[in-house]
């Protein structure tokens, strides 16, 4: 029997390392449509975005080891997932914006999946509920 020492309520934030803040803000704000929110005046550059009840933090860290060094889409690499309203509309939007994406509308997960990368190669899964019928 497992005894819980820590009681986790929810995911509060995800932080990703980026190399070019303006380029990253264009991707997360304009292309993905995330709402930028106020961020404390840290000693390093970055931006915060609202993700439902949580947050996404962009951190500019030139020496970070977290930058993948590739924009090759790999769903088995470290990634975070955002739920979107429509698989089809999201795929069409990414295509219009020139964002390379790999889709799987019939994933064994039970939801439709799209994998893409931000300009620094951070892998992002965009997934949608599969509509019955």
């Amino acid at each position: 029997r497992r005894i819980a020492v820590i009681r986790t309520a929810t995911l509060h934030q995800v932080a990703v390392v980026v190399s070019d803040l303006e380029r990253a803000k264009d991707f997360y704000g304009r292309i993905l449509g995330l709402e930028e929110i106020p961020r404390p005046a840290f000693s390093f550059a970055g931006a915060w975005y609202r993700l439902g009840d949580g947050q996404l933090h962009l951190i500019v860290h030139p020496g970070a080891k977290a930058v993948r060094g590739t924009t090759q889409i790999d769903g088995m690499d470290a990634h975070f997932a955002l739920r979107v309203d429509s698989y089809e509309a999201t795929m069409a939007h990414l295509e219009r914006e020139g964002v390379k994406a790999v889709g799987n509308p019939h994933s064994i997960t039970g939801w439709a999946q799209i994998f893409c990368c931000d300009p620094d190669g951070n892998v992002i899964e965009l997934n949608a509920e599969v509509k019955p019928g």
Side-chain angles (χ1 to χ4, degrees), residues 68 72-79 115 123 125:
R68 292 176 68 228
Q72 179 181 347
I73 299 169
D74 183 350
M76 293 187 305
D77 205 338
H79 65 278
F115 287 94
V123 181
E125 175 186 337

Side-chain angles (χ1 to χ4, degrees), residues 27-77:
F27 180 81
Y28 287 99
R30 186 180 65 80
I31 294 176
L32 293 188
L34 300 182
E35 175 193 355
E36 189 170 356
I37 59 175
R39 173 183 179 268
F42 291 111
S43 62
F44 54 91
W48 286 7
Y49 292 90
R50 182 178 323 285
L51 279 181
D53 291 335
Q55 299 173 1
L56 171 69
H57 295 181
L58 304 183
I59 299 171
V60 178
H61 186 341
K65 295 179 180 147
V67 176
R68 292 176 68 228
T70 179
T71 55
Q72 179 181 347
I73 299 169
D74 183 350
M76 293 187 305
D77 205 338

Side-chain angles (χ1 to χ4, degrees), residues 82-118:
L82 303 175
R83 180 56 63 109
V84 296
D85 289 335
S86 168
Y87 172 87
E88 293 82 8
T90 300
M91 281 295 284
H93 174 70
L94 293 174
E95 184 176 299
R96 280 192 306 275
E97 291 292 339
V99 176
K100 184 179 171 189
V102 175
N104 184 355
H106 307 289
S107 169
I108 65 171
T109 60
W111 53 83
Q113 295 175 296
I114 301 167
F115 287 94
C116 65
C117 290
D118 75 4

